[in-house]
Amino acid sequence: MKGPQLVPNARRVARSDAGRRTGLFVLAGLLLLFVFTPLAARRATDLMWYHEIGYERVFLLKIAAQWALGIAAGVGTALVLVVSARFALRTPRVEPVPMLDQFRSGPRSRIAYVTNIAALIAVPMSLVFAAAVAALAATEWRTVVQFLYRSPFGVTDPIFGRDVAYYVFTLPVIHGLIGYAMLALGLALIVATLVYTARNEINWEHGQPTVAPFAQVHLAVLGALLLVLYGLRMAFVDVPSLLQASHGLLRGASYTDVHLRVPLLRLMSAVAIGVAMLILRAAWRGRLIRTAGISLTSYIAIWWLVLGLVPTMYQRLVVQPNELAREAPQILHHINGTRQAWGLDSVERRELTAAQRLTSRDIDANQATIANVRLWDREPLLQTFGQLQAIRTYYDFEAVDDDRYRIGGELRQVLLSARELNSTALPTRSFINEHLTFTHGMGLTLGPSNQVTTEGLPVLWIKDLPPQSTVPIRVTRPQIYFGELSNDFVLAPTRQREFDYPAGQGGAAIYSSYAGRAGVPLDSFLRRLLFALRFRSANVMLSRDLIPQSRAIFHRNIRERAELALPFLRFDRDPYMVVTDSGHLKWILDAYTSTTRYPYAQRLPDGTNYMRNSVKVVIDAYDGDVRAYLTDPRDPMIRTLSRIYPGLLRPLSELTADLRAHLRYPEDLFRAQTSMYATFHMTDPETFYHREDQWQIPVSQLSDEREGFIRHIVMRLPGERDPEFILMRPFTPNQKDNLAAWMVARNDGAHYGKLIAYQFPRQSLVFGPTQIVNRINQDTEVSRQVSLWDQRGSEVIRGELLVIPIEASLLYVQPLYLRAQGGKIPELKRVIVAHESRVVMEETLEAGLQRLFGDSAAKPAIAAAGPDVAPAPVAVRAADSASTGANELIRQASQHFERARAAQRADDWTTYGAEMRKLGEVLQRLNAIGQRRPGQQ
């Protein structure tokens, strides 16, 4: 009876096992489908994207380097771990102790059971650890590749005489090799210890650890190798790393480091190797535990004494009492290293004569500067653009950029902003609307930085939809598929018409079809499937609107696009748009090479202590074409990258002349350099030590602290003949408000990239921004007018305080904007002009200059073309009047009118009536003057 019953049971067990295997296969298939398939689709579409923009070598090199490095690190770690684990598992078994007899089950003891478990787990655990190390090592692919293609800096460090390239390229690789070797050995030591403990070859049976002889030798070898590697790290990593150490006085190796820590680190390196030999000898004699404990405890104590206490006491008792004399050479190394790393050694210093009071003649001689004073701040102008030129809710202006164009033969500073599509603001968000119909922005808004209409609004040279221009700047390709706001994919061209811009009334619109080169073709079912998986949208595969010419256009954010194409560079946070001579829109991004490992150089908060603007990236707003141009071939880091990616960076000579005319010095680099120069303009160690001539960047409560008074200005520099587009930043003495100097970065022609520091005589007093702001606040006329406006119904916005260098002196200008409560359109209402101790407020800059310096200074700005430009500002017309009396009456009339408008907004009808009566009286007096014959007063 038993035989026949066993057969069905065996069949049921077999069917059960087959069912479990089928379930496992199904589960594995689902895992592959939902996890690995999307990853594979993303990799495949990434490769297509890189091929589309012509940068596939960047993608392929990264993948190849990551896999090569990961496999090498993984295999090396796996060999160490697996070999170590197998050694531990092949040692003779130890008989079970009596207390474990109770755990015996059948013929196998608990020891045998645990040994089998350890044998099952040890190797897989080792492979998991190895895979983790491989993944970690793969992230360092760029460090290894740069080491293989490294270029010398041509500058040696002052302590060890090594080229700076050793610290930037070689030292990180040495550090990484030793670090990963120590990690592998440390993991092997952990795995071996766990195996020996599970096999009872390490036990604590009598309160003290006992280790089997073979286990002692094995663990001692691993521990000794760790100590040897630690000793090598001290000698070959920690010693040179002292040149990047941080101290309160300087960055780099101090006197104590050079004369004490370096020899002590080398001594402790030798001691570590000696301790390793001692541990091996003890393990061979079977005395590992006691000897290792004493040796390691002693080494730690000696390490703390030699590398911790002794240098601290030496610094306190020997160095600090004579700090300047002992640290002077190191301070000089710190100064030189920082100036070399940040390019401050090429700053040209010019001494200004004692500041003198400006005259009307000085103003007349610098009309190019006066005509380009930026009266519009970026934030108020951005709000105004958004209200006047967005046209539709789905258009938006992300940022306002400064630039310069030649208008009528004159160099004019302009402010411009791209009109981009904000897909999140579409009235109906659907697949067709977001990805097929509303695909791009349209044109830009551009106007002079210093002109206003009679209503206090900005003059616009390029405006509306489609973009209309009143100056010789034409936009022939206004569509913006790539910009600062673009962050989603679009499919074009398709059977759906693309919305181009609104036209007429009743929702009428103009449509277009994409004819550019951007995007990956969707000309096969497989490609559509891959992109459907990537975008997680089945509509990409199922939509009937796609045609064989349709393309998937993605990575449309210009910063993201540049970072993916050139991952070895870092980018300035302010890209800017340029209108080319052919009317196309291009984005220009400044790219940097940087490192944190330059010896003796001062660091930024993020650790960067070397930066060069070696690359300019140009991205077409329509085609998405990414082109990188080499601007600083002297930079050793970019030379290294050029060797890694030959032909990827184009020579600057290939950049068209119309784009070269709009290159500008990057703000992030200039911000860092000026912050460094505030301290490192002092090149004498004694002066540096005492901080006798320390400067600081002035900060005003009315100014954006992030900007820190950085301004673009079109001006004629002292001693130069022609106006040029410069980037400027002032300095004040530490803890003082008067001005000490100002630095400019030149942007035009052969002077591009040159830094000049203009320094005022230390014995003269030149009012700084904070002092001018205080004087403005204390001025009764300004205070009264602001108080009158800043009431219920209106809001006064104080603009940025502009520091305008004129000859050897300074002019300060601050615009005042008025915005109705709840409104979003600031209007420029007043301009405050200050020079030395005098402060005036007028409706225009010209009127303010007239009051400060006399009638000859009140020359109108260069006239702008276009219907929006007022025939002439009120104050300018007053300057052209026949008499000073008429000029004053016009000013009074304007003041009464503005006060009446402010009272009207505030529903203060009593004040409104009084101001209107006063306005009538002034107009009558003005009319009487106008009726007099010429020559009468």
Side-chain angles (χ1 to χ4, degrees), residues 478-546:
Q479 292 84 2
I480 301 175
Y481 283 83
F482 301 87
E484 294 183 85
L485 276 179
S486 306
N487 58 3
D488 206 350
F489 74 93
V490 297
L491 307 176
T494 64
R495 291 187 177 90
Q496 286 288 335
R497 297 182 300 172
E498 295 179 59
F499 179 86
D500 212 26
Y501 58 89
Q505 302 295 327
I510 302 298
Y511 292 89
S512 67
S513 181
Y514 184 67
R517 301 186 302 270
V520 177
L522 299 174
D523 51 5
S524 68
F525 174 80
L526 178 59
R527 288 194 173 208
R528 292 176 65 169
L529 175 61
L530 289 174
F531 279 99
L533 290 171
R534 181 191 179 95
F535 299 139
R536 298 180 180 179
S537 173
N539 291 323
V540 175
M541 186 172 61
L542 302 176
S543 175
R544 296 183 178 180
D545 290 317
L546 299 187

Side-chain angles (χ1 to χ4, degrees), residues 604-820:
L604 295 179
D606 65 356
T608 301
N609 64 358
Y610 173 93
M611 185 185 292
R612 291 290 185 273
N613 175 218
S614 299
V615 178
K616 302 284 186 181
V617 179
V618 179
I619 299 180
D620 191 287
Y622 186 76
D623 284 325
D625 185 42
V626 181
R627 299 193 179 188
Y629 296 90
L630 179 62
T631 58
D632 187 4
R634 299 169 301 174
D635 174 24
M637 295 198 71
I638 205 64
R639 289 203 307 268
T640 297
L641 293 170
S642 297
R643 294 179 62 193
I644 297 173
Y645 305 100
L648 192 69
L649 303 177
R650 303 165 183 255
L652 190 61
S653 59
E654 292 186 10
L655 185 63
T656 57
D658 55 346
L659 287 175
R660 291 188 68 174
H662 292 278
L663 296 182
R664 69 186 194 189
Y665 201 81
E667 288 190 29
D668 284 352
L669 178 58
F670 187 67
R671 184 177 291 107
Q673 288 177 314
T674 49
S675 298
M676 296 291 178
Y677 196 75
T679 299
F680 291 92
H681 69 278
M682 299 179 287
T683 56
D684 177 66
E686 184 173 358
T687 304
F688 184 93
Y689 178 83
H690 294 298
R691 295 296 198 270
E692 181 183 344
D693 195 22
Q694 175 76 43
W695 297 343
Q696 63 184 14
I697 305 299
V699 176
S700 168
Q701 60 181 352
L702 303 178
S703 177
D704 184 354
E705 293 191 18
R706 183 182 68 83
E707 292 296 331
F709 286 100
I710 289 183
R711 302 288 183 267
H712 284 99
I713 307 173
V714 171
M715 65 170 291
R716 183 177 65 83
L717 292 172
E720 302 293 336
R721 290 193 313 168
D722 300 321
E724 55 186 286
F725 188 62
I726 58 100
L727 188 59
M728 177 262 193
R729 197 178 204 186
F731 300 99
T732 60
N734 193 32
Q735 304 300 320
K736 298 292 182 182
D737 294 329
N738 59 290
L739 214 64
W742 48 281
M743 179 184 282
V744 301
R746 306 177 75 174
N747 292 274
D748 294 334
H751 299 301
Y752 176 84
K754 293 183 179 179
L755 302 178
I756 305 176
Y758 294 91
Q759 187 168 350
F760 291 104
R762 296 180 63 183
Q763 63 272 18
S764 65
L765 174 64
V766 180
F767 288 115
T770 302
Q771 293 170 318
I772 295 298
V773 168
N774 292 335
R775 287 185 174 275
I776 291 173
N777 293 336
Q778 294 167 6
D779 185 84
T780 55
E781 180 185 358
V782 175
S783 179
R784 181 175 63 252
Q785 186 67 65
V786 170
S787 299
L788 178 64
W789 278 338
D790 208 5
Q791 297 177 3
R792 183 171 61 88
S794 61
E795 175 190 3
V796 174
I797 302 173
R798 296 197 179 206
E800 299 172 352
L801 183 67
L802 304 175
V803 184
I804 313 297
I806 304 288
E807 301 299 337
S809 190
L810 293 170
L811 190 69
Y812 287 92
V813 177
Q814 184 180 46
L816 289 183
Y817 311 94
L818 190 64
R819 182 172 57 192

Side-chain angles (χ1 to χ4, degrees), residues 30 33 64 157 195 229 399 407 416 477 518 535 549 579 618-619 626 801 809 860 877 890 936:
L30 292 175
L33 178 64
D157 78 85
V195 170
L229 288 173
I407 308 294
L416 67 153
R477 177 64 79 183
F535 299 139
Q549 294 78 27
V579 184
V618 179
I619 299 180
V626 181
L801 183 67
S809 190
R877 292 198 298 270
I890 290 176
Q936 289 181 321

Side-chain angles (χ1 to χ4, degrees), residues 105-172:
S105 176
R108 291 184 169 184
S109 68
R110 175 180 176 274
I111 294 298
Y113 179 74
V114 171
T115 299
N116 289 335
I117 294 296
L120 267 176
I121 294 177
V123 173
M125 181 190 300
S126 300
L127 295 177
V128 169
F129 284 157
V133 172
L136 187 63
T139 62
E140 302 295 332
W141 68 273
R142 192 174 297 132
T143 301
V144 175
V145 173
Q146 289 183 353
F147 164 74
L148 295 176
Y149 290 89
R150 61 192 180 278
S151 297
F153 274 65
V155 179
T156 56
D157 78 85
I159 304 301
F160 305 112
R162 296 188 178 105
D163 190 276
V164 171
Y166 175 83
Y167 300 93
V168 175
F169 300 123
T170 305
L171 187 59

Side-chain angles (χ1 to χ4, degrees), residues 27-65:
L27 184 62
L30 292 175
L31 184 66
L32 181 67
L33 178 64
F34 290 106
V35 177
F36 294 104
T37 302
L39 291 177
R42 187 171 188 88
R43 285 290 191 182
T45 52
D46 279 342
L47 179 58
M48 295 177 194
W49 181 82
Y50 276 98
H51 177 74
E52 175 245 322
I53 65 172
Y55 284 69
E56 62 266 27
R57 78 183 76 173
V58 174
F59 178 79
L60 294 175
L61 176 62
K62 176 182 177 180
I63 298 300

